[in-house]
Amino acid sequence: MQGDDGDLARHTLVVPMTAHDTVVGLVQFSRAKGSEPFGERDRALAVELAARAAVCIDNARLYRREHERA
């Protein structure tokens, strides 16, 4: 996003990426100036995407840990 006069994003949605009750990061979704605000369906999709990404990140960490042990 830019300053007041040159905003690129008008609406922003930030969702925690949670795997096994642990936050592994945040994901940010933004919509351009002139677009609709995020609705409930958008929020539900964002939560689902964040959850799936969190599981992938957690699996990658577990794989790396096991690979280092081997």
Side-chain angles (χ1 to χ4, degrees):
M1 295 194 313
Q2 294 183 351
D4 291 340
D5 295 331
D7 285 344
L8 295 176
R10 177 59 57 123
H11 306 284
T12 302
L13 176 63
V14 179
V15 181
M17 296 171 47
T18 307
H20 307 292
D21 297 324
T22 302
V23 176
V24 296
L26 295 172
V27 63
Q28 176 181 321
F29 300 93
S30 297
R31 286 201 168 152
K33 192 174 184 177
S35 62
E36 297 179 17
F38 289 100
E40 278 307 310
R41 292 180 70 196
D42 299 319
R43 288 182 188 94
L45 179 59
V47 167
E48 180 66 24
L49 288 170
R52 289 178 186 228
V55 169
C56 291
I57 290 170
D58 192 52
N59 286 342
R61 287 180 178 174
L62 291 172
Y63 175 80
R64 185 189 68 209
R65 195 176 311 145
E66 291 299 318
H67 182 71
E68 288 173 354
R69 287 182 187 166

